[in-house]
């Protein structure tokens, strides 16, 4: 057989294997963590830093209270919390 055809066959086979491995790595290290995070309720996936984070109310960090009861209830509902965390 023509040696050029044999060489091209090996090159295309090697490219196919490299692409298949690349897709597998992409799935395991990029797509699956995002899907796992999104399945957990009330967690957010940050694609830039690849972090699965839990949302926190700004009032929990700053210590400032939300005085409007409707706004407080909506904020707690948005992050899936029934009450504010205990302060020590």
């Amino acid at each position: 057989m023509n040696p050029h055809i044999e060489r091209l066959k090996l090159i295309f086979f090697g490219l196919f294997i490299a692409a298949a491995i690349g897709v597998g790595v992409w799935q395991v290290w990029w797509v699956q963590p995002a899907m796992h995070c999104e399945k957990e309720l009330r967690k957010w996936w940050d694609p830039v830093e690849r972090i699965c984070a839990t949302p926190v109310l700004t009032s929990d960090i700053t210590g400032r209270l939300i005085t409007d009861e409707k706004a407080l209830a909506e904020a707690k509902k948005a992050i899936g919390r029934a009450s504010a965390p205990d302060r020590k």
Side-chain angles (χ1 to χ4, degrees), residues 6-35:
E6 285 295 322
R7 189 178 325 136
L8 277 175
K9 181 173 69 172
L10 291 175
I11 289 171
F12 281 117
F13 183 70
L15 288 174
F16 174 76
I17 295 297
I21 290 172
V23 168
V25 167
W26 176 264
Q27 283 289 330
V28 170
W29 285 341
W30 198 273
V31 175
Q32 284 181 353
M35 290 174 58

